[in-house]
Amino acid sequence: MQYDRTDARILEIVQKNNRLTSEVIGEMAGLSATACQRRLKRLRSEGVIEADVSIVSAKAVGRPIQMLVMVTLERERSDIIDKFKKAIKGSAEVVNGFYITGDADFVLYVTSRTMEDYEQFTRRFFYENSDIKGFKTMVVIDRVKSGFAIPVEIPDEE
């Protein structure tokens, strides 16, 4: 997946606001709207742009309780890891899940309507799973920054 300086500029622009038209993005990147559309299509098809999303306020949609949960598996076997990854993907409460190194095996970003709902989630998702050794919950007091913007390296001119 290679990209050039113009692609890098487009990536910077759409990470800040993906609702801009191709005309506006093209103008900001020094391209015609058609050339911009072609580049965006290629960046999406090559997987450089994975998704076009809106960041929704958890509080605004009735899920004000946010947690980071460190999960440790009983054993680190590929079948157990794959099974847990599938469970993460199938859970609406788990917003983000990461397979990590360190003291835990996974870290999850979880939202909930109430602490009672979170307790029910933990019973269903963690306690009923015999492959989980333990988990630690950290309640988010304030979401200081939210987003998915990745710093884009600008390739050297050749």
Side-chain angles (χ1 to χ4, degrees):
M1 290 185 235
Q2 291 196 328
Y3 61 90
D4 62 17
R5 292 172 89 66
T6 305
D7 291 335
R9 179 68 182 129
I10 290 170
L11 292 170
E12 288 174 339
I13 294 165
V14 298
Q15 284 191 102
K16 290 179 184 152
N17 184 353
N18 72 350
R19 292 178 49 113
L20 297 174
T21 64
S22 296
E23 290 81 16
V24 173
I25 297 168
E27 186 177 310
M28 294 170 76
L31 295 172
S32 70
T34 305
C36 181
Q37 286 173 341
R38 272 195 306 271
R39 284 177 179 257
L40 282 167
K41 183 178 180 180
R42 180 180 49 77
L43 290 166
R44 287 182 178 106
S45 69
E46 291 179 358
V48 177
I49 297 175
E50 293 181 2
D52 292 289
V53 299
S54 295
I55 299 171
V56 175
S57 164
K59 290 178 185 175
V61 295
R63 301 190 67 81
I65 311 293
Q66 301 170 75
M67 285 83 45
L68 296 174
V69 185
M70 308 290 282
V71 182
T72 306
L73 300 177
E74 196 64 57
R75 294 170 280 329
E76 266 201 82
R77 285 193 345 232
S78 60
D79 61 322
I80 293 171
I81 292 166
D82 291 344
K83 183 178 158 189
F84 192 64
K85 285 180 179 179
K86 187 175 181 181
I88 290 169
K89 291 175 184 175
S91 171
E93 293 90 349
V94 179
V95 178
N96 285 300
F98 302 94
Y99 180 39
I100 61 169
T101 62
D103 294 335
D105 297 309
F106 288 85
V107 63
L108 310 178
Y109 169 54
V110 178
T111 64
S112 182
R113 291 182 304 128
T114 65
M115 286 308 290
E116 291 80 16
D117 284 349
Y118 179 65
E119 181 185 6
Q120 291 303 313
F121 168 76
T122 62
R123 289 174 186 266
R124 186 177 68 253
F125 197 77
F126 298 122
Y127 292 126
E128 292 178 5
N129 185 338
S130 61
D131 293 325
I132 293 178
K133 183 177 183 179
F135 67 98
K136 292 181 182 175
T137 302
M138 295 166 281
V139 177
V140 174
I141 295 171
D142 183 25
R143 183 173 76 177
V144 178
K145 181 178 180 181
S146 180
F148 291 99
I150 305 293
V152 179
E153 295 294 322
I154 302 192
D156 295 327
E157 292 288 335
E158 294 189 22

